C-alpha cells in the first residue's frame, strides 16, 4: 500500500493564480481531511469529507474548495492564491470519522505564494 | 474538547529516557489522549493512544493518572532519530474535532 500520497511536493504560485493540490489514499478510508501548517504552529483543519460526495468546512476554509467524487481522491483547490496561503498542506485519512482511530498523513505539499 | 498544554521544547541526550508531560485539566469523561510524532518535512504519525493507567507499544509508553488531568509520553533510550515535534491531543467523537496545538519540539543531542 502507498498509504496517503500528495502531489506536488513543492509549488510556487503568483498571487491570483489557481491550482489544485492532489491527495489520494489506497486504504479505502471513508474520512479524509486537509490541514495547513504554518511555522511554529500546529495543524489547522481546512476541509474534511466523511465519504464520497460529502464534504464540509473545517476551522480555516476561506479561499479553498474541495470535492470528493471517489473514496480514494480528495483534491484541494485554491481559487485565487494569496500570500496568506503560503503554508505546508497535509492531507490525512482514517477509516471513519472518529477521534479514537489513527489518522494517516501524507508527506505534505509546501506552497509558496508570491 | 480537551484543551491540552505541553512544553514548547525539550532537550535530551542519546540513550536517556524522555518524558513529555501534557496537561488537560478540562478533559471529559469520554476523551481519549492521543500522541502524534512529526519529523521535519513529514506529516504527523500516530504514536500511542490511551484512556487511563498505562499503555505501552513498541515505540512508547503512555501514563495517565487516575484523575486524567495530565498524561506523560515516555520514550525509552532515545536516539538522534527521535528528534521531532510531539503532539498531545485530547478528544472524543469525530476526527474533525481533534486539535493539533504547537506540540513539543524534542531535540536529542549526541
Amino acid at each position: 500500500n502507498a498509504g496517503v500520497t500528495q502531489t506536488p511536493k513543492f509549488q510556487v504560485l503568483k498571487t491570483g493564480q489557481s491550482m489544485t493540490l492532489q491527495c489520494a489514499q489506497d486504504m479505502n478510508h471513508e474520512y479524509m481531511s486537509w490541514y495547513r501548517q504554518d511555522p511554529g504552529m500546529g495543524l489547522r483543519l481546512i476541509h474534511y469529507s466523511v465519504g464520497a460526495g460529502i464534504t464540509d468546512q473545517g476551522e480555516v476554509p476561506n479561499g479553498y474548495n474541495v470535492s470528493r467524487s471517489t473514496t480514494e481522491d480528495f483534491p484541494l483547490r485554491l481559487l485565487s492564491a494569496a500570500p496568506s496561503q503560503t503554508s505546508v498542506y497535509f492531507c490525512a485519512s482514517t477509516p471513519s470519522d472518529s477521534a479514537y482511530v489513527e489518522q494517516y498523513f501524507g508527506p505534505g505539499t509546501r506552497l509558496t505564494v508570491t | 474538547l480537551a484543551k491540552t498544554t505541553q512544553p514548547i521544547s525539550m532537550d535530551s541526550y542519546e540513550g536517556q529516557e524522555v518524558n513529555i508531560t501534557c496537561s488537560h485539566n478540562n478533559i471529559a469523561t469520554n476523551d481519549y489522549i492521543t500522541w502524534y510524532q512529526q519529523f521535519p518535512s513529514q506529516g504527523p504519525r500516530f504514536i500511542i493512544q490511551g484512556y487511563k493507567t498505562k499503555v505501552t507499544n513498541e515505540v512508547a509508553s503512555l501514563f495517565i493518572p487516575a484523575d486524567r488531568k495530565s498524561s506523560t509520553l515516555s520514550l525509552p533510550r532515545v536516539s538522534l532519530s527521535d528528534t521531532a515535534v510531539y503532539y498531545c491531543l485530547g478528544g472524543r467523537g469525530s476526527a474533525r474535532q481533534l486539535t493539533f496545538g504547537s506540540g513539543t519540539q524534542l531535540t536529542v543531542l549526541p
Side-chain angles (χ1 to χ4, degrees), chain B residues 1 8 16 20 31 36 40 44 55 58 67 69 80 85 92 103:
Chain B
L1 292 175
I8 295 174
Q16 290 188 332
I20 305 175
D31 284 349
Y36 280 79
V55 179
E58 66 278 5
D67 67 5
K69 293 186 183 300
L80 296 177
V85 178
R92 65 188 181 279

Side-chain angles (χ1 to χ4, degrees), chain B residues 56-95:
Chain B
T56 297
N57 61 23
E58 66 278 5
V59 176
S61 294
L62 177 60
F63 301 91
I64 304 175
D67 67 5
R68 302 200 332 116
K69 293 186 183 300
S70 67
S71 59
T72 299
L73 176 73
S74 180
L75 305 172
R77 297 180 299 281
V78 294
S79 64
L80 296 177
S81 62
D82 292 315
T83 293
V85 178
Y86 293 81
Y87 296 96
C88 169
L89 287 72
R92 65 188 181 279
S94 58

Side-chain angles (χ1 to χ4, degrees), chain A residues 9 31 35 37 40-45 48 50 90 94 96-108 110, chain B residues 30-32 34 36 38 41-46 49 87 89 91-103:
Chain A
K9 196 165 180 62
Y31 181 86
Y35 291 88
Q37 184 173 37
M41 298 181 67
L43 283 74
R44 291 184 291 171
L45 182 64
Y48 64 92
V50 298
F90 291 102
T94 189
S96 63
D97 182 17
S98 169
Y100 311 122
V101 180
E102 176 181 352
Q103 292 199 53
Y104 296 81
F105 285 82
R110 184 175 296 274
Chain B
N30 294 334
D31 284 349
Y32 272 64
T34 310
Y36 280 79
Q38 184 178 24
S41 301
Q42 293 187 26
R45 183 180 72 133
F46 174 91
Q49 182 181 74
Y87 296 96
L89 287 72
R92 65 188 181 279
S94 58
R96 61 188 178 269
Q97 294 182 326
L98 290 176
T99 302
F100 288 79
S102 300

